[in-house]
């Protein structure tokens, strides 16, 4: 009998014993190719000796120092490194310990920003349907998954939701991608006007939607349109780059590819690459300045923020990314993986779409390619693919149409940026077999 309160009480999981590079090994000696970095976390692969050495050295020097008493060299260096790489205008880093904490802090920072400016009437956020921004109550409130939210209502903050950018399903045949993007921006503006722009704090969006839509990228001009709206109405753009950020899409920040700078950005996952639990909020200078010339205090904090060992891990992860040119590798290997997926599965009767950017790619499975009709979520095709893949020694992140019942099952791939050509071949081969086996196992 286990005393560990597992997420899924009735599931028996293999026991992970060790990991190296792209592979995790269980206690039975079976190896698993980590094709999803856990949940798009492991950007360097497992057990990188430089990161382990940096963490051990930091641990030996200074294990912990509470941030209300001390700053630390390692936290300052991490912030300097992140700002040196950040888009123009982003000036400060607030450290957290996870993606949900980063989003939670981002929302509170945005709220307090307007308090500092003397605009406390701004209390509304606008986010997008089917989105996921974390599991704490504030982050869950901005999240737009009906099924995740349902049990926890009433949620803590005022949020309304507009359509996400989901080209595969929602672009009309008569529209160009740009026209589709502009239509979405007009809908967003209508929502802003309905709420009253001077009641709105910010617009929250994940630039490339990961867990809930399956690596769904924005159409050209969409985020530029949102940026322009935010500027026109004095509303903040809050980018959730927890999953798609830190090199995952082939540039360090996903929004770089849209040519715009957010006011507040949340990062996590790839920041620490799985070596430690760490997240961060990156704030634009104008946000920081409001605090600096206002109360001089952000009303937020947690016991473990800026943990020296977590900072040492993240700092070394960033240094390895630069030394080994791994963000570029994410772009290049992403294109290679895309080609291999197209060749192996692009013509498959049940693969509706293959999409994404960098090493952040997904398949969307459908019952019928022409009508894009999803499989019945009760069939749990996503779970079947995940199980078939695990049996074949392959980890994929598979989610289903249960998210508002509006899309097909999808399989998200987010391997470490250190992935090599031969690993990509193994990945695609095992994935194709797993998809076939899962489909063959569906009830007739
Ligand atoms: N935001 C996005 C876009 C995510 O994908 C996730 C996690 O998957 C989170 C926030 C929450 O991060 P965490 O699980 O580290 O709390």
């Amino acid at each position: 009998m286990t005393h560990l309160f597992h997420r899924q009480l009735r599931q028996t999981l293999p026991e992970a014993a060790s990991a190296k590079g792209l592979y995790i090994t269980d206690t039975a000696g079976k190896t698993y190719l980590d094709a999803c970095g856990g949940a798009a976390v492991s950007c360097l692969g497992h057990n990188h000796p430089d990161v382990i050495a940096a963490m051990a050295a930091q641990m030996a020097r200074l294990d912990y120092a509470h941030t209300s008493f001390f700053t630390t060299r390692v936290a300052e260096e991490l912030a300097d490194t992140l700002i040196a790489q950040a888009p123009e205008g982003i000036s400060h880093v607030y450290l957290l310990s996870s993606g949900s904490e980063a989003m939670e802090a981002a929302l509170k920072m945005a709220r307090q920003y307007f308090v500092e400016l003397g605009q406390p009437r701004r209390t509304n956020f606008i986010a997008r349907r089917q989105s996921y921004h974390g599991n704490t109550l504030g982050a869950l409130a901005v999240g737009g998954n009906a099924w995740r939210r349902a049990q926890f209502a009433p949620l803590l903050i005022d949020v309304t939701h507009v359509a996400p950018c989901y080209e595969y399903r929602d672009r009309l045949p008569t529209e160009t991608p740009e026209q589709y993007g502009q239509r979405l921006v007009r809908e967003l503006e209508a929502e802003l006007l309905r709420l009253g722009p001077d009641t709105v704090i910010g617009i929250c969006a994940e630039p490339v939607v990961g867990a809930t839509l399956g690596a769904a990228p924005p159409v050209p001009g969409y985020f530029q349109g949102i940026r322009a709206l935010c500027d026109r109405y004095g509303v903040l753009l809050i980018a959730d780059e927890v999953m798609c950020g830190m090199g995952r899409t082939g540039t360090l920040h996903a929004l770089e590819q849209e040519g715009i700078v957010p006011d507040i950005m949340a990062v996590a996952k790839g920041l620490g690459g799985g070596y430690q639990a760490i997240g961060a909020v990156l704030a634009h200078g104008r946000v920081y300045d409001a605090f600096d010339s206002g109360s001089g205090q952000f009303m937020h904090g947690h016991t473990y923020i800026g943990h020296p060992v977590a900072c040492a891990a993240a700092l070394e992860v960033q240094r390895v990314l630069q030394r080994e040119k791994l963000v570029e590798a994410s772009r290049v290997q992403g294109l290679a993986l895309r080609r291999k997926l197209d060749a192996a599965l692009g013509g498959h009767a049940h693969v509706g779409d293959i999409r994404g950017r960098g090493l952040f790619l997904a398949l969307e499975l459908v019952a019928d390619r022409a009508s894009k009709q999803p499989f019945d979520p009760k069939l749990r095709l996503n779970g079947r693919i995940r199980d078939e893949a695990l049996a074949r020694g392959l980890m994929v992140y598979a989610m289903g149409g249960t998210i508002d019942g509006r899309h097909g099952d999808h399989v998200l791939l987010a391997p470490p940026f250190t992935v090599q050509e031969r690993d990509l071949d193994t990945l695609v081969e095992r994935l194709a077999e797993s998809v076939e086996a899962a489909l063959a196992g569906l009830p007739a």
Side-chain angles (χ1 to χ4, degrees):
M1 213 258 289
T2 177
H3 294 285
L4 192 56
F5 201 140
H6 289 273
R7 296 178 180 224
Q8 299 287 339
L9 276 57
R10 293 186 198 91
Q11 197 181 24
T12 308
L13 297 170
E15 198 177 308
S18 62
K20 186 141 197 64
L22 298 186
Y23 286 87
I24 295 187
T25 304
D26 71 14
T27 43
K30 179 171 172 180
T31 58
Y32 302 82
L33 170 55
D34 185 357
C36 53
V41 175
S42 301
C43 51
L44 297 188
H46 301 271
N47 234 338
H48 197 293
D50 298 352
V51 184
I52 293 169
M55 286 166 57
Q58 180 59 52
M59 184 61 119
R61 247 188 332 267
L62 171 70
D63 55 346
Y64 173 68
H66 194 282
T67 47
S68 58
F69 295 98
F70 296 103
T71 186
T72 58
R73 178 74 350 241
V74 69
E76 299 285 349
E77 277 185 35
L78 176 60
D80 292 349
T81 303
L82 294 178
I83 294 306
Q85 309 176 94
E88 186 71 34
I90 300 279
S91 67
H92 284 80
V93 177
Y94 191 88
L95 293 168
L96 287 311
S97 304
S98 71
S100 298
E101 276 192 14
M103 277 308 291
E104 209 72 36
L107 298 171
K108 286 178 71 179
M109 188 181 285
R111 171 89 165 99
Q112 193 185 329
Y113 165 76
F114 283 112
V115 174
E116 298 289 340
L117 293 186
Q119 299 179 37
R121 273 194 64 230
R122 290 190 188 253
T123 53
N124 292 306
F125 287 94
I126 303 178
R128 304 183 305 171
R129 289 191 284 279
Q130 293 153 293
S131 55
Y132 179 64
H133 294 297
N135 253 332
T136 47
L137 286 169
L140 200 59
V142 279
N145 290 180
W147 68 277
R148 274 191 194 274
R149 295 162 55 91
Q151 315 191 30
F152 299 104
L155 285 156
L156 288 178
I157 45 181
D158 296 332
V159 186
T160 58
H161 292 98
V162 296
C165 188
Y166 187 11
E167 186 181 9
Y168 169 63
R169 285 194 178 272
D170 292 349
R171 175 161 73 85
L172 302 172
T174 51
E175 286 173 324
T176 63
E178 289 78 3
Q179 286 167 338
Y180 166 54
Q182 290 316 307
R183 170 162 63 84
L184 293 177
V185 172
R186 283 196 301 278
E187 285 173 21
L188 180 53
E189 183 167 23
E191 181 59 13
L192 256 169
L193 294 171
R194 187 188 72 76
L195 290 165
D198 58 352
T199 71
V200 177
I201 295 173
I203 296 167
C204 279
E206 196 186 357
V208 178
V209 184
T212 52
L213 289 185
V219 293
Y222 168 71
F223 271 105
Q224 287 177 356
I226 295 183
R227 178 71 267 177
L229 276 189
C230 289
D231 293 342
R232 188 170 324 137
Y233 295 107
V235 164
L236 298 178
L237 174 56
I238 301 165
D240 180 348
E241 296 222 4
V242 167
M243 196 179 240
C244 65
M246 302 316 294
R248 182 53 59 200
T249 63
T251 48
L252 191 65
H253 304 296
L255 274 186
E256 283 172 41
Q257 294 174 53
E258 307 312 306
I260 60 147
V261 181
D263 300 290
I264 294 178
M265 178 175 7
V267 295
K269 297 188 186 272
L271 174 61
Y275 289 87
Q276 284 287 285
I278 186 164
V281 172
L282 275 58
H284 196 281
R286 64 179 155 266
V287 173
Y288 183 82
D289 288 348
F291 286 78
D292 196 24
S293 55
S295 70
Q297 181 185 13
F298 178 27
M299 294 294 291
H300 193 68
H302 297 282
T303 299
Y304 297 113
I305 62 177
H307 193 289
V309 182
C311 291
L315 185 57
E316 193 57 30
V317 168
Q318 298 316 304
R319 288 179 174 157
V320 175
L321 281 188
Q322 285 183 7
R323 244 188 343 262
E324 300 182 11
K325 302 195 170 30
L326 290 175
V327 176
E328 175 62 5
S330 164
R331 191 184 69 78
V332 172
Q333 296 295 52
L335 292 172
L337 177 55
R338 175 69 192 252
R339 277 195 300 276
K340 288 176 195 292
L341 289 170
D342 282 341
L345 289 157
H348 194 288
H350 295 297
V351 175
D353 196 22
I354 301 176
R355 58 177 172 251
R357 286 188 183 163
L359 280 171
F360 197 44
L361 297 171
L363 312 178
E364 178 161 339
L365 289 118
V366 287
D368 179 65
R369 242 171 109 123
S371 66
K372 303 183 184 174
Q373 172 68 33
F375 282 95
D376 182 345
K378 288 196 209 71
L379 294 174
R380 280 187 54 258
L381 178 61
N382 56 316
R384 291 170 191 263
I385 295 174
R386 181 189 167 283
D387 294 348
E388 292 289 352
L390 213 58
R392 288 169 175 75
L394 179 72
M395 291 161 57
V396 297
Y397 193 97
M399 293 286 291
T402 41
I403 299 165
D404 301 350
R406 260 200 80 240
H407 62 80
D409 297 82
H410 66 242
V411 178
L412 185 68
L413 301 171
F417 310 161
T418 46
V419 72
Q420 302 294 315
E421 186 86 16
R422 63 176 183 283
D423 308 311
L424 294 178
D425 290 331
T426 310
L427 187 170
V428 172
E429 193 184 311
R430 291 184 190 174
L431 176 62
E433 281 173 23
S434 308
V435 168
E436 279 321 327
L439 288 167
L442 291 178

